[in-house]
Amino acid sequence: MWRKGLSLGRVPDEALLSGLTTGDPELAVAFVRRFQRTVFGVAVAVLGDPQLAEDVAQQTFERAWRHAQVYDSRRGSVRAWLTAIAHNLAIDAVRARRASPIAPEDLDGLLAIVTETPERRALADDSAERVRRAVAELPREQARALVMAGIYGMTAREVAESEGVPLGTAKTRIRTGTLKVRALLEAAEKR
């Protein structure tokens, strides 16, 4: 462990991390200084936006402070743990920027566009038409979940929140819908 008077530059990463839980301001500052470039670099690489990357870096250090006691050195280095936190937070920020809320009544209209209509049949190529037919054969809940995930790029958690269902239900709907569409397309190819 670190003792006052010793150079903080030689203190092991794990000791600096454990210093976060003790509330030692010197160790906290040393921890941030040691990893700030790495954390910021990960965030800016994912986001491409330095201002947003600064916010993600700050959130990363806050999360490390709150969860320092659960760090397990057997699962990786402090640097790897911290960069994983930064990466996950940056991905969440990308998703938050990209996600736009969809009203349930608008989704029904989208399903109508994706499924079979005379206009679409005339304009669509054969493979797109087969996908539309396959989606149209799904139960409504599975079709909605599949369109939200596949077209809108929503995560299963976002689908669950939008549909007001448990996360496991959203995952099952997406997975089952995907498997059914795949099976229908494979069967159509064999004909």
Side-chain angles (χ1 to χ4, degrees), residues 52-150:
L52 189 54
E54 285 179 20
D55 293 340
V56 167
Q58 181 176 347
Q59 292 172 9
T60 300
F61 287 112
E62 288 171 3
R63 187 164 292 176
W65 171 67
R66 284 194 314 265
H67 300 288
Q69 70 278 0
V70 298
Y71 167 74
D72 183 357
S73 62
R74 295 173 297 187
R75 297 183 66 199
S77 68
V78 171
R79 184 174 303 277
W81 179 71
L82 205 54
T83 56
I85 292 171
H87 183 263
N88 291 339
L89 288 172
I91 294 294
D92 290 346
V94 167
R95 287 180 177 149
R97 264 197 309 192
R98 179 183 53 155
S100 56
I102 303 164
E105 57 273 8
D106 293 341
L107 192 57
D108 290 332
L110 179 61
L111 279 173
I113 291 168
V114 172
T115 58
E116 201 171 325
T117 65
E119 298 84 17
R120 282 294 191 191
R121 187 176 291 145
L123 297 173
D125 66 3
D126 187 47
S127 62
E129 183 61 30
R130 282 184 280 156
V131 170
R132 281 187 199 86
R133 281 193 213 132
V135 170
E137 289 185 36
L138 295 176
R140 185 172 180 276
E141 298 82 19
Q142 288 175 5
R144 287 175 61 91
L146 189 58
V147 167
M148 289 171 137

